[in-house]
Amino acid sequence: MSTEIHQRPSVLRPDDLPAKDRGSGARTVPLVTNARGATAFLNGITSFEPGAAIGHHVHNVAESVVVVQGDAVVDIDGVRTPLRVFDTTFVPANIPHHFENASDSAPMKIFWTYASVEATRTLVDSREHSRIDAEHQGSAAESGTVAYEVARITVRPGKEAEFEAAVAAAATLFQQTRGARTLVLDRAYENPLEYRLVVGWESVDDHLSGFRDSPRFQEWRRLIAGSIAGLPEVTHFRNVLTAF
């Protein structure tokens, strides 16, 4: 059985990557994106020419920004604060904010991170709205929307630890399959015998044809067979809203 990992590590060099002109003297280079394998966050660098600023806007998820060059001003919901190198901001979802270069003669750069690959930006004045990934990839279709396999699994009494260990052991089986992006196991509070396994795939077909038709699927079922009460109930979902 192949041990190839399809979600590969990367070294990203900003000078080698395409930049998007944000207008008004700001340019953005996306680094870790959905299209490059991100499943939980996005990040990148925005450069500001002397005196440049970007429009007041909100995001649907939390954002953290680190000033990595020059002097900046951040406006968070009308409160303006000067920033220097390595000063860091945290702005929760749906709070209006923007950054400015505080200098009229020197450049400024920020390193930004969004708390979800489903991050969006809405400009306060124009109400223009877009996905962050779509801004940088050119279209929403290229942003790599994930198909989520959601499996409801009930385990036998006394077999909870055995089941959790089996899922941990099986994680690499999923990761070695083309199209697999992320795996999360949750346990119910109300019924501790009920679990929810969520696997992110690049497409439903990657799960149904790619994984289920492979020897890895048989090994997955073998690992959990002794601890589950009946077959998992599986449904596929796609994200339609991330509100915060």
Side-chain angles (χ1 to χ4, degrees):
M1 182 181 297
S2 170
T3 58
E4 178 183 2
I5 300 298
H6 292 281
Q7 191 177 2
R8 294 183 177 279
S10 302
V11 174
L12 303 172
R13 303 185 188 279
D15 290 344
D16 297 335
L17 299 174
K20 175 181 175 61
D21 188 350
R22 300 280 297 277
S24 302
R27 291 175 62 82
T28 290
V29 176
L31 296 172
V32 178
T33 64
N34 185 280
R36 292 173 181 147
T39 60
F41 67 91
L42 305 172
N43 66 26
I45 294 173
T46 299
S47 303
F48 294 74
E49 296 177 2
I54 55 178
H56 217 47
H57 58 274
V58 298
H59 302 294
N60 61 330
V61 300
E63 177 193 34
S64 181
V65 168
V66 182
V67 178
V68 294
Q69 180 182 358
D71 295 312
V73 172
V74 62
D75 183 317
I76 302 176
D77 206 13
V79 177
R80 296 174 60 82
T81 305
L83 304 172
R84 58 187 179 183
V85 172
F86 298 135
D87 284 351
T88 301
T89 65
F90 171 76
V91 179
N94 303 313
I95 302 296
H97 63 283
H98 75 268
F99 290 83
E100 306 171 11
N101 187 343
S103 172
D104 292 329
S105 59
M108 183 269 284
K109 290 183 180 180
I110 60 174
F111 174 82
W112 45 263
T113 301
Y114 297 108
S116 170
V117 294
E118 309 294 345
T120 64
R121 182 195 329 278
T122 303
L123 297 179
V124 171
D125 291 337
S126 68
R127 306 308 299 171
E128 179 183 346
H129 176 82
S130 61
R131 264 182 72 113
I132 299 298
D133 255 1
E135 289 178 355
H136 304 313
Q137 298 300 324
S139 72
E142 294 176 307
S143 63
T145 299
V146 175
Y148 293 100
E149 168 203 353
V150 179
R152 181 173 176 267
I153 304 172
T154 302
V155 305
R156 299 175 181 177
K159 296 290 186 176
E160 298 92 335
E162 179 182 327
F163 172 73
E164 292 175 14
V167 175
T172 55
L173 298 174
F174 289 88
Q175 192 176 15
Q176 290 162 6
T177 304
R178 184 175 303 280
R181 302 295 299 276
T182 184
L183 183 150
V184 175
L185 181 67
D186 298 317
R187 186 178 183 182
Y189 277 107
E190 291 80 4
N191 178 9
L193 297 179
E194 183 178 323
Y195 289 81
R196 181 182 64 181
L197 178 72
V198 181
V199 184
W201 300 94
E202 291 181 7
S203 70
V204 174
D205 190 62
D206 283 328
H207 172 222
L208 296 183
S209 296
F211 182 63
R212 286 198 172 185
D213 288 346
S214 74
R216 296 185 180 98
F217 178 72
Q218 300 304 322
E219 178 64 8
W220 154 242
R221 282 294 176 84
R222 186 192 69 79
L223 285 169
I224 64 173
S227 58
I228 62 175
L231 293 177
E233 299 176 10
V234 178
T235 308
H236 295 92
F237 293 86
R238 62 181 176 87
N239 177 271
V240 295
L241 174 68
T242 298
F244 62 89

